[in-house]
Amino acid sequence: MDKWRQQLIDTERGVFEVFAKGEGPPICVTHHYSVFNATGDYFAETFTPFCTVYLVNLREAGQSAKAEQPYQLSMLETVFDLEAVRKALGFHQWIFAGHSTGGMLGVIYGIAASASLTGLMLVGAAARDYAAFSTVCIYNEDHPEFQKMQDLLEALKQEGLEPEQRKELGIQRTKLSLHQPDGYEQYFHGKHAKTISAIRLDFFSRELQVFDVTRKLHLITVPVWIACGEHDVQCPLLYSLEMKEGIPNSQLAVFSKSNHYPFLEEKPKFVSDAQSFIAEVSHQNKAQMDV
């Protein structure tokens, strides 16, 4: 497996660690509290055959800048950081693709800075608190696997875990979000290894309690591709349906044999649909620039 190229990008908002791979139009990928390294990421890897992917470690993740104030870990401030990275890389616009909390960041990105985007890809995401109002969400206290998921998250935040302990905990957590848990080995080959930023996760857990931008979805003015597994227990399908209803220029792809990882559980269809969307928005952007 080809490793990702590490870059330390000096921006007006500090230095950010970025990993790059692939060829084609630029696409930014990140997750709100993951820590990436040169092994890359399963979601980001999806786009490398037809895009140049910039996988960004956010503030307090990896070798990126630290937070001097707690508010700098918020979703809106994170979008400002991503904008600083985009400018430092020299791009007028790029595509943003986010899975799960990365997709939630994408919603904020589209609301706050549509002019910086050629397209937006939101996978297994939501525009509001996904846990409080849906008992089919595994983060809702009434879900039968709620406590198990909480215990695993707390365990993964611990420092000093042996690599094998961390790996096993991660496997158990991921299996809770697969439509066919027995297919874990087929989907995850151990090529990509990432960890969790405890400080970012803790801040997000608080911010989630007041997160609701559904009334601002109409402010997203770029083409948006929304994708969700029909059986998603983290960000249930109803939240993707809600985003499709609220975002003017959006399309929704529902993956009937997937839970939270359609890019692995139904990879051929996901890749085909995603590539078609990226080709479409890239063509539209080129046409606009030629006018």
Side-chain angles (χ1 to χ4, degrees):
M1 178 188 68
D2 295 335
K3 287 196 173 183
W4 291 62
R5 304 182 302 276
Q6 183 202 44
Q7 302 177 32
L8 295 177
I9 308 299
D10 192 2
T11 82
E12 61 189 11
R13 293 173 64 88
V15 174
F16 288 87
E17 185 179 32
V18 176
F19 297 93
K21 187 177 180 182
E23 294 183 4
I27 181 170
C28 174
V29 176
T30 193
H31 182 278
H32 198 41
Y33 51 79
S34 288
V35 182
F36 303 108
N37 54 55
T39 65
D41 170 73
Y42 285 100
F43 178 67
E45 193 78 45
T46 303
F47 308 104
T48 58
F50 43 88
C51 288
T52 302
V53 183
Y54 294 90
L55 182 61
V56 182
N57 264 338
L58 302 176
R59 197 174 292 272
E60 288 284 358
Q63 295 186 46
S64 290
K66 301 298 182 181
E68 296 177 6
Q69 299 292 334
Y71 75 86
Q72 292 178 302
L73 299 175
S74 70
M75 283 187 269
L76 182 59
E77 286 292 320
T78 296
V79 167
F80 295 156
D81 287 343
L82 291 173
E83 278 288 87
V85 172
R86 175 187 62 80
K87 292 173 185 175
L89 286 170
F91 298 125
H92 175 62
Q93 292 177 314
W94 59 5
I95 299 168
F96 180 87
H99 170 237
S100 197
T101 63
M104 295 168 72
L105 277 177
V107 175
I108 301 297
Y109 207 153
I111 291 170
S114 275
S116 300
L117 303 169
T118 54
L120 192 54
M121 308 179 77
L122 312 174
V123 182
R128 62 186 171 105
D129 178 357
Y130 48 78
F133 305 105
S134 175
T135 58
V136 298
C137 175
I138 199 167
Y139 297 110
N140 184 290
E141 292 184 3
D142 291 330
H143 191 282
E145 301 282 10
F146 168 79
Q147 193 57 54
K148 185 174 182 180
M149 176 61 89
Q150 293 303 306
D151 291 344
L152 288 168
L153 278 171
E154 288 302 314
L156 282 166
K157 287 194 294 185
Q158 296 177 27
E159 297 182 3
L161 283 176
E162 294 294 329
E164 284 304 313
Q165 288 179 296
R166 186 175 298 280
K167 180 180 177 181
E168 182 56 34
L169 289 168
I171 291 172
Q172 291 181 42
R173 176 175 178 256
T174 301
K175 282 186 174 182
L176 293 176
S177 301
L178 290 174
H179 185 46
Q180 298 290 343
D182 291 344
Y184 177 88
E185 297 297 335
Q186 174 188 344
Y187 306 134
F188 297 91
H189 308 293
K191 295 178 180 178
H192 308 294
K194 61 183 180 182
T195 56
I196 289 176
S197 167
I199 188 172
R200 291 196 65 89
L201 176 56
D202 286 343
F203 190 93
F204 170 74
S205 297
R206 290 163 173 76
E207 188 176 19
L208 181 62
Q209 304 304 311
V210 294
F211 176 67
D212 185 348
V213 293
T214 50
R215 291 190 177 186
K216 291 187 174 183
L217 291 175
H218 68 281
L219 299 176
I220 300 176
T221 59
V222 293
V224 179
W225 186 67
I226 304 166
C228 189
E230 184 176 337
H231 310 281
D232 196 325
V233 295
Q234 292 200 35
C235 290
L237 178 59
L238 73 93
Y239 296 102
S240 287
L241 293 167
E242 188 172 73
M243 289 191 294
K244 171 65 179 71
E245 182 72 20
I247 301 173
N249 189 10
S250 64
Q251 54 186 282
L252 172 63
V254 178
F255 293 82
S256 61
K257 299 177 182 178
S258 295
N259 191 318
H260 194 53
Y261 299 93
F263 53 93
L264 295 175
E265 297 175 275
E266 296 180 70
K267 185 174 182 177
K269 183 180 186 307
F270 185 95
V271 171
S272 176
D273 289 0
Q275 188 171 12
S276 294
F277 174 79
I278 290 170
E280 179 183 344
V281 298
S282 297
H283 177 74
Q284 291 175 359
N285 186 55
K286 184 178 184 303
Q288 290 172 359
M289 293 179 66
D290 289 342
V291 172

